[in-house]
């Protein structure tokens, strides 16, 4: 069988947004029932992912035989200002099932361009990563290896990424995420939270999204052990953190006097949220009496921020965060 493609547009229409599109497809597909002897190829002018991320032109050299497809030479797919480089690609199909595997690496993509494409606050840094193996079988896409995002002068590592039913109405995602040495000043400036200086480490274990909304995870964020960077927190950030934990501010001086200080020194800060059944189980860097430290102060005037809510509604917590990052005072009911 010999199939010639000429100016074909391939567009996925599922869900509110199309998952992908490849436009201007051209090429020749040579298929043999027994053994592939003639080369095939497909090429395209451009396309997009999620109708937001621009894809450049590319070309795949292929061989097809029976129920098997194999890429015969490495290829590259431009993505924004970076590229997905494919070292290998194979697929098999039959009996109503399909299996595929690929490997390669992602060259750095600007987080500024990526955040602009999704309408996020502008972020500096890059997204890159090795892809030792991606497999598709039984509706699951499994990514083995680690993707690396360099943002806010730190690193975010994404491991054990699994996508379920990506081409259907209710896709799901699970992953394990590690944050290393995030610059809090750059982070809080980007999201208009109130100025905090210092570094932040964190983990998000057991993350699961359904229809791209979080339904479960165990997240911990805290000042790294031995962090010798400058630790300062502004009055606005104090108020926002206090509201997150249903907290109180304790110290040697009254709150009315503290408000005359623009910023305070702190020793450590951190927060924990374990999401399950729409409820976030809250915690901090350490427990004290009936509460927990969200910020442990240092120097004079000393300010400690304590959390007392052990459980909070997840949707309410997200609404508070939205209000804070938009410069609004959170509404407490």
């Amino acid at each position: 069988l010999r199939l010639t493609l000429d100016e074909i547009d391939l567009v996925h229409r599922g869900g509110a947004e199309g998952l992908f599109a490849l436009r201007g497809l051209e090429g020749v597909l040579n298929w043999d029932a027994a053994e592939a002897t003639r080369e095939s190829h497909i090429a395209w002018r451009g396309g997009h992912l999620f109708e937001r991320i621009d894809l450049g032109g590319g070309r795949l050299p292929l061989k097809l035989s029976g129920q098997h497809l194999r890429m015969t030479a490495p290829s590259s797919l431009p993505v924004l200002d970076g590229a997905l480089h494919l070292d290998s690609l194979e697929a098999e199909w039959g009996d109503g099932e399909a299996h595929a595997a690929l490997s390669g690496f992602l060259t750095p993509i600007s987080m500024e361009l990526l955040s602009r494409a999704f309408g996020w606050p502008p972020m500096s840094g890059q997204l890159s990563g090795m892809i030792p193996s991606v497999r598709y079988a039984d509706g699951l896409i499994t990514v083995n290896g680690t993707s690396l995002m360099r943002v806010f002068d730190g690193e975010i590592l994404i491991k054990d990424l699994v996508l379920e039913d990506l081409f259907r109405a209710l896709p799901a995602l699970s992953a394990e995420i590690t944050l290393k040495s995030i610059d809090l000043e750059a982070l809080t400036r980007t999201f208009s939270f109130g100025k905090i200086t210092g570094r932040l480490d964190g983990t998000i274990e057991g993350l699961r999204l359904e229809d791209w909304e979080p339904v479960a995870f165990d997240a911990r964020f805290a000042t790294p052990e031995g962090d010798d960077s400058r630790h300062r927190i502004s009055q606005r950030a104090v108020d926002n953190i206090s509201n997150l934990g249903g907290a109180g501010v304790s110290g040697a001086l009254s709150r009315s006097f503290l408000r005359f200080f623009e910023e305070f020194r702190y020793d450590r800060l951190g927060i924990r949220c374990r999401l399950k059944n729409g409820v976030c189980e809250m915690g901090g860097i350490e427990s004290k009496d009936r509460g927990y430290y969200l910020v442990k102060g240092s120097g004079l005037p000393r300010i400690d921020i304590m959390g007392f809510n052990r459980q909070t509604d997840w949707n309410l917590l997200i609404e508070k965060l939205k209000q804070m990052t938009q410069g609004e005072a959170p509404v407490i009911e």
Side-chain angles (χ1 to χ4, degrees):
L1 176 68
R2 179 181 176 86
L3 177 65
T4 300
L5 306 177
D6 183 18
E7 286 297 314
I8 303 296
D9 288 345
L10 180 63
V11 182
H12 177 264
R13 300 286 189 190
E17 297 177 340
L19 182 64
F20 68 89
L22 293 176
R23 302 194 179 277
L25 277 167
E26 297 181 341
V28 176
L29 300 178
N30 293 301
W31 174 84
D32 190 284
E35 182 178 353
T37 57
R38 291 181 295 177
E39 287 278 349
S40 301
H41 76 274
I42 57 172
W44 57 91
R45 288 198 311 270
H48 66 246
L49 291 173
F50 305 110
E51 299 184 351
R52 298 171 184 265
I53 301 176
D54 291 334
L55 304 177
R59 186 180 188 277
L60 290 179
L62 305 167
K63 280 194 173 182
L64 298 100
S65 61
Q67 297 173 322
H68 185 261
L69 174 151
R70 177 174 60 88
M71 188 177 69
T72 58
S75 185
S76 181
L77 172 61
V79 182
L80 294 177
D81 61 341
L84 172 61
H85 292 273
L86 295 176
D87 293 327
S88 67
L89 171 64
E90 293 192 53
E92 289 185 292
W93 58 90
D95 299 325
E97 295 183 357
H99 303 267
L102 65 85
S103 64
F105 60 95
L106 186 68
T107 60
I109 294 173
S110 165
M111 288 301 299
E112 182 180 356
L113 292 178
L114 192 63
S115 56
R116 188 186 306 164
F118 282 102
W120 300 336
M123 288 184 267
S124 60
Q126 297 176 318
L127 168 65
S128 62
M130 298 299 298
I131 310 173
S133 174
V134 176
R135 296 187 176 276
Y136 172 81
D138 300 324
L140 295 180
I141 298 175
T142 304
V143 181
N144 298 318
T146 300
S147 296
L148 172 65
M149 298 172 64
R150 299 186 186 277
V151 293
F152 305 123
D153 198 35
E155 297 180 348
I156 299 178
L157 305 175
I158 305 172
K159 299 189 296 183
D160 301 329
L161 178 62
V162 177
L163 291 160
E164 305 172 31
D165 299 327
L166 184 60
F167 302 102
R168 298 180 183 175
L170 294 174
L173 177 149
S174 59
E176 306 291 324
I177 299 176
T178 302
L179 287 73
K180 293 184 177 180
S181 196
I182 299 297
D183 182 351
L184 277 170
E185 184 172 3
L187 177 67
T188 54
R189 181 175 62 246
T190 297
F191 292 98
S192 303
F193 186 82
K195 182 180 177 181
I196 306 176
T197 65
R199 294 282 170 170
L200 187 73
D201 283 355
T203 59
I204 306 175
E205 300 176 348
L207 173 64
R208 183 170 178 81
L209 308 182
E210 294 181 358
D211 198 20
W212 311 116
E213 295 291 337
V215 295
F217 60 74
D218 188 353
R220 301 169 184 260
F221 307 100
T223 304
E225 292 290 341
D227 178 38
D228 60 358
S229 62
R230 186 171 181 265
H231 291 180
R232 296 290 188 274
I233 182 169
S234 71
Q235 183 71 248
R236 181 183 172 193
V238 167
D239 291 338
N240 282 334
I241 293 176
S242 298
N243 284 319
L244 279 181
V249 179
S250 62
L253 304 177
S254 69
R255 182 71 185 277
S256 60
F257 184 78
L258 290 176
R259 72 185 180 197
F260 293 104
F261 290 84
E262 292 186 4
E263 59 180 37
F264 308 91
R265 294 173 59 189
Y266 72 90
D267 178 38
R268 296 182 66 216
L269 58 76
I271 191 169
R272 178 187 181 186
C273 171
R274 183 172 181 265
L275 177 63
K276 185 177 181 181
N277 297 326
V279 175
C280 182
E281 296 180 7
M282 305 280 293
I285 51 175
E286 63 179 80
S287 297
K288 181 183 179 181
D289 301 330
R290 293 177 298 168
Y292 48 86
Y293 280 105
L294 292 167
V295 177
K296 197 167 186 180
S298 173
L300 293 174
R302 181 186 175 102
I303 184 167
D304 297 323
I305 305 179
M306 303 293 298
F308 297 100
N309 283 351
R310 293 291 183 177
Q311 292 187 332
T312 188
D313 180 86
W314 170 250
N315 291 327
L316 177 61
L317 183 62
I318 291 299
E319 189 59 34
K320 286 183 184 180
L321 283 169
K322 287 181 180 178
Q323 292 171 359
M324 292 171 188
T325 56
Q326 292 168 358
E328 303 173 9
V331 178
I332 309 299
E333 297 181 351

